[in-house]
Amino acid sequence: MNLYLRYFDNETLVHSVEEAIDFLSSISDINMTEELEADIRDYAASDVFYPKRYKVRSRVYFIVIKTLAQTMLDFKQKKAIHPNTNNANMPIDRRQNADNPLARLNEKKQGWYEGELDFKRVVMVPSTGKFEYRDTKFVARCKAVSGMDCYNRIIENLRDRVDARSQFPSAKGKNFHFKYLGMWK
């Protein structure tokens, strides 16, 4: 495992923790303490792959990133990205669809879908006679050919049954969820 380090315009790709500590020690702004050195060693030895940043002073940091890249060029061109172990056994096209919600939304798969929609429904308050928006959750099961088709069928159904001023979320947003239930008979 290699380490990429950057502090403003100073950057390097090193092959050991000792090289990383030597690089950081050569920068006058960074105060290399025993605690900092121990933390960098712990980070390099751990199984964590997220980038780590260290505070130098107020609003000034340096970063350390673990990488499989052997050269700076490989790192810059993202040729040695750490593989995602959860999806490693999935075929590539299915893995891309699992990672991309929009692709999942438009994936054609005929059958029963359950769609859940959170929207702003206009209702009248009986005591005042005025109207207000209320957060409403609507869940429906329908026959559809994709997640987007499920969304369109739910919206079409609701438009006929609620006040026209009600506000519906986008199918691509966080207020619409769906799941495929199975093929229809």
Side-chain angles (χ1 to χ4, degrees):
M1 186 62 51
N2 299 321
L3 298 171
Y4 169 79
L5 297 103
R6 187 178 78 216
Y7 177 71
F8 290 108
D9 290 339
N10 300 325
E11 65 180 356
T12 187
L13 184 77
V14 297
H15 305 289
S16 70
V17 178
E18 284 70 29
E19 289 178 50
I21 292 169
D22 289 343
F23 170 75
L24 293 171
S25 298
S26 70
I27 299 172
S28 61
D29 288 353
I30 298 174
N31 182 18
M32 185 56 72
T33 62
E34 290 179 12
E35 293 83 19
L36 179 60
E37 185 177 332
D39 195 54
I40 292 171
R41 288 183 190 282
D42 289 343
Y43 171 71
S46 70
D47 294 336
V48 202
F49 276 88
Y50 60 85
K52 185 134 185 190
R53 70 180 190 169
Y54 293 92
K55 190 171 190 173
V56 176
R57 60 181 179 275
S58 178
R59 294 182 291 188
V60 176
Y61 299 87
F62 71 87
I63 63 167
V64 181
I65 300 174
K66 286 185 182 180
T67 181
L68 300 173
Q70 294 299 315
T71 66
M72 183 67 83
L73 183 63
D74 288 348
F75 179 79
K76 295 287 184 167
Q77 293 178 348
K78 299 180 181 172
K79 289 184 179 177
I81 295 175
H82 179 68
N84 187 353
T85 56
N86 295 345
N87 295 335
N89 297 332
M90 235 190 264
I92 290 174
D93 60 333
R94 299 284 295 177
R95 195 177 326 144
Q96 289 170 343
N97 284 350
D99 293 341
N100 185 353
L102 289 179
R104 217 176 119 255
L105 184 67
N106 293 317
E107 182 181 338
K108 301 285 184 201
K109 197 174 194 182
Q110 293 182 346
W112 283 97
Y113 285 81
E114 181 176 272
E116 182 179 310
L117 185 73
D118 294 326
F119 69 102
K120 301 277 188 193
R121 183 177 184 173
V122 174
V123 294
M124 186 177 79
V125 178
S127 61
T128 63
K130 295 185 178 180
F131 293 90
E132 71 179 15
Y133 286 104
R134 288 232 177 102
D135 289 333
T136 306
K137 182 182 292 288
F138 183 79
V139 179
R141 290 184 178 175
C142 62
K143 287 183 178 179
V145 295
S146 68
M148 190 66 189
D149 186 37
C150 172
Y151 171 81
N152 290 335
R153 288 173 186 258
I154 290 172
I155 295 297
E156 183 181 317
N157 179 52
L158 285 173
R159 287 202 193 278
D160 296 338
R161 289 168 174 72
V162 298
D163 191 296
R165 295 171 288 182
S166 297
Q167 297 175 355
F168 300 108
S170 166
K172 301 170 189 170
K174 64 180 181 182
N175 291 324
F176 174 67
H177 307 284
F178 71 93
K179 62 183 171 185
Y180 179 72
L181 301 174
M183 187 64 185
W184 61 56
K185 293 182 180 181

